[in-house]
Amino acid sequence: MSSQYAAFSTEQTCADLETDAVNGLTSISSISQRKLVHGENILSSDEEDSLIRQFLKQFVSDPLILLLFGSAAISLLLGNVSDAISIALAIFIVVTVGFVQEYRSEKSLQALNNLVPHNCTVIRFGKEQLINATGLVPGDLVRLEIGDRVPADLRLTDAIDLEIDESNLTGETTPRSKTTKTQPNAVSLAVNERRNTAFMGTLVRHGRGKGIVVATGKDTEFGQVFLTMQETEKPKTPLQRSMDQLGKHLSMISFAIIAVIVLIGFVQGKRWLEMLTIGVSLAVAAIPEGLPIIVTVTLALGVLRMSKNRAIVRRLPSVETLGSVNVVCSDKTGTLTMNHMTVGKIYIPGMKFVYTLPDSSVEKIASSNLGFEKLLLAAFLCNNSKLRDQKAHSMFESGYVGLPVDVALAECASRFGMQDPRNSYPRLSEVPFSSDRKFMSVVVQHAHQKLCCMKGATEYVLGQCVSYVTEGGLVLDMTETMRNEIFEREREMASTGLRIIAVASGTSFEKLAFHGLFGINDPPRENVHESIKCLLASGVRVVMITGDSIVTALSIARTLGLPLPNSDEDASGTYALTGEQLDALSPAALRELVPQVSVFARTTPQHKMKIVSALQSHGDVVAMTGDGVNDAPALKLADIGIAMGRQGTDVAKEAADMILTDDSFATILAAIEEGKGIYNNIRNFITFQLSTSVAALSLIAIASLFHWQNPLNAMQILWINILMDGPPAQSLGVEPVDDDVMEKPPRPRNAPIITTHLLRRVLLSAFLIVVGTVFTFKLQMRDGVVTARDTTMTFTCFVFFDMFNALGCRSETKSVFELGMFSNRMFNIAVGGSLIGQALVIYFPPFQAIFQTEPLAFKDLVVLAVLASSVFWLDEFIKWYRRERGLTHSKSTYLLRHV
């Protein structure tokens, strides 16, 4: 709505809203009526379900949860209360995690209200009054001062040196200079181009002004971000989709096999109660009720590890999704860069080259250089920044506050050891910077004489100069040759994306001496270049999205190492797109072009969502980083939203799946590595669980087909189920991350968790377990009679196979001896505990009665251990063979190794 008033003059705006540019609204009834029509000036979501209703909905939202309920019911029918309790615990954990995720996602909407000020100064009936900002209505006249947060969208009627920080809405670091001039084409302009409008939630950095409220609440630009977030649904993670499919398929196959086994038993004349008991036991063993809880525990432990590495994960499934990310869309300001303007280059007339900062050699030169001293002095005097805290924690935290350019110059002078000289140079007058003048000037008093200082655009400052100061401090007459050299240096510095500030001083503004140029930019964060290089090498694309100009964006992108041609002409339109170009593209055209683009400039929140959607339409798993309100919708839409913990807004943090507490892009690299490791661990324990489940079902099926007495009774099957879903399986989820995990390319979005290789591994292990167990069973019952010793040998053989199989499942590609036998302490404890439990089942009389077992001799255990170890040794041989044949990594991974 505010865009239409940007095209109106102040007179037209007042007429349309029936208000006055001096006295504001003058009718109580009119204010009340407008409040009824437009509502309160707040961002409120639609009526939501109660917390209890949201929690209960989680129980029917997942087919696997319903299957778990069935499994719990079967356990109760068997009288196995402990198993039913464990299943209920799994259900509770899964449901609670889902509920917390849904609840937290809604908090991102509420966080927007934190940026709406509680109070504001409004002019009504010709008098200023302080009111609650929620009471504003269209037509109100609002006064703005330095430090005020804009309470609604305003059409400015007065703007005196007014500059507003819109970074949390547009992503631009530089405060926007505001004016009252009409913009006829405002409807088609982006938010950051509407110079006669102040937007809700932005911050006044300089000057003062007044404006008429033209939009409140959801009608504001902030409100549009709010509505976009409200309409955006968080996509399911690849892991959630894979687990959904796995649960359905396993359950259907298992129930079909169990039904066939029970039917065969009835046909063969076996007692129906015996077959029903076996069938129910197999159902409990076959249904993957332990899978959700093991996945949850694995993800939760991953969250704990990542928190120690300065990454806070808010949605558990997001941990694994990080391993599938193949595109990282990063906001530039505050994410790839410091969001803190600083001096990067300095030029003094006559210098052979431009000095680059920070550089210790430059500081040594400056300490004995009179030209440097005069340049820094003039820049410090012509400066409105203020010192907030004299205890600086770093070169970027000097404690100065004010306009970014002023802060950058003050910090630069301080870096070279200059104390703030302004107390010794009382200011007599000031001409503040404006977009029309393009310079700032001051007159100060020193030693009974006046000193005039000026800083601003090079052409304006240089136009007032009749001389220049060299590095050595000599004052020489300005020549045409020197003017051309200065302009050449300016073009050279500006081509690298720097904002150029020229500085001069003298006894009068008509006879200034030119001191030099400062190149100011928002520098890249530490280790960003190296992190991007590693991500690119591991098959992850990095796309930069910013509200800055295309020239600045391309310069930063090249500095960071993004793949771009050397010239802007080659990059524009193919490797880089502006928001305006993006708007001109159809969805199909954007979808076709987006895989080639590395830089998007002059973007809005809507643009960011288009980019994320276009990438996702290719099947890409997209991570989106950001820190501002403008990033929040895209953070929510992306598969992984990553917010900055230090400089990020509450809105961005609430919308994100992960928060970087150190604001370091490099932390994303570690998070992706952790995500890949967790996915490998999930595959490992799924391999273990499936091979055990398939073996148990196959063993009973074979016995039924050949009219054998069942080799395992119901309680023994349930004990195997406890081992399959218990400590051994869970300990596989905490296996340390492989060192070479980043050499593997990201997993495609639609890639099934059950691959052909995994299935072959499962079937081979299950085959060996069944063959070995059947061999033991048939060997023991040579006399044709099944005794307690026979079933105990068979049962123990199966358990030993299970433990050796778990040992081989620690890694899909690496030998256990390469991993280290004792590298996973939890695994050793779990397997040791399981073997102790098996010993109790065999040798402890009360358990012997329950499980129908009898003691075995030591040599029996040795023979069974040697036989059962075959599943481990065969797995080790296959891993060795695949490594020798180069089958462990894909071709693309092999190439990445040699980049």
Side-chain angles (χ1 to χ4, degrees), residues 1-235:
M1 180 182 289
S2 59
S3 60
Q4 74 179 69
Y5 288 102
F8 287 5
S9 65
T10 54
E11 292 78 11
Q12 287 176 296
T13 301
C14 290
D16 189 72
L17 293 173
E18 299 180 2
T19 187
D20 187 85
V22 176
N23 299 313
L25 293 174
T26 56
S27 169
I28 294 177
S29 60
S30 175
I31 294 172
S32 301
Q33 178 64 29
R34 294 176 194 221
K35 191 171 292 187
L36 287 174
V37 173
H38 299 281
E40 289 193 321
N41 182 34
I42 56 175
L43 303 175
S44 59
S45 56
D46 296 332
E47 186 175 345
E48 301 174 0
D49 291 333
S50 65
L51 292 181
I52 295 176
R53 185 178 176 85
Q54 289 182 43
F55 183 73
L56 293 177
K57 282 171 61 177
Q58 301 293 326
F59 285 95
V60 295
S61 61
D62 190 343
L64 190 56
I65 299 296
L66 299 177
L67 287 170
L68 292 179
F69 272 123
S71 183
I74 291 172
S75 297
L76 285 175
L77 287 175
L78 268 177
N80 195 327
V81 179
S82 60
D83 208 55
I85 291 174
S86 67
I87 296 172
L89 179 63
I91 295 173
F92 179 77
I93 291 176
V94 174
V95 167
T96 301
V97 168
F99 166 71
V100 171
Q101 291 168 4
E102 184 176 318
Y103 176 74
R104 281 183 170 178
S105 69
E106 296 303 322
K107 296 289 287 183
S108 60
L109 301 177
Q110 300 174 15
L112 276 169
N113 282 307
N114 295 334
L115 290 174
V116 180
H118 296 293
N119 298 306
C120 63
T121 302
V122 67
I123 301 173
R124 288 176 175 172
F125 307 98
K127 296 180 180 179
E128 290 187 2
Q129 51 185 295
L130 191 67
I131 69 168
N132 192 304
T134 60
L136 286 177
V137 295
D140 266 326
L141 182 61
V142 175
R143 180 170 64 80
L144 301 175
E145 298 284 348
I146 293 178
D148 287 348
R149 198 168 283 281
V150 181
D153 283 3
L154 311 177
R155 171 60 169 91
L156 295 171
T157 58
D158 287 297
I160 302 171
D161 302 321
L162 183 61
E163 294 190 13
I164 297 180
D165 181 356
E166 299 175 346
S167 60
N168 62 358
L169 185 62
T170 66
E172 292 191 30
T173 49
T174 306
R176 301 294 291 177
S177 177
K178 293 296 182 177
T179 180
T180 60
K181 294 180 180 179
T182 304
Q183 295 180 272
N185 60 338
V187 176
S188 61
L189 292 178
V191 171
N192 54 4
E193 298 294 336
R194 295 182 217 156
R195 296 184 56 200
N196 60 10
T197 306
F199 302 101
M200 173 192 275
T202 57
L203 187 64
V204 179
R205 289 287 191 187
H206 191 263
R208 61 185 187 275
K210 294 178 184 177
I212 297 171
V213 175
V214 294
T216 59
K218 291 183 180 180
D219 293 329
T220 63
E221 292 297 334
F222 252 68
Q224 295 306 304
V225 174
F226 177 88
L227 290 174
T228 303
M229 288 180 62
Q230 199 173 36
E231 296 166 359
T232 302
E233 291 187 9
K234 190 71 187 175

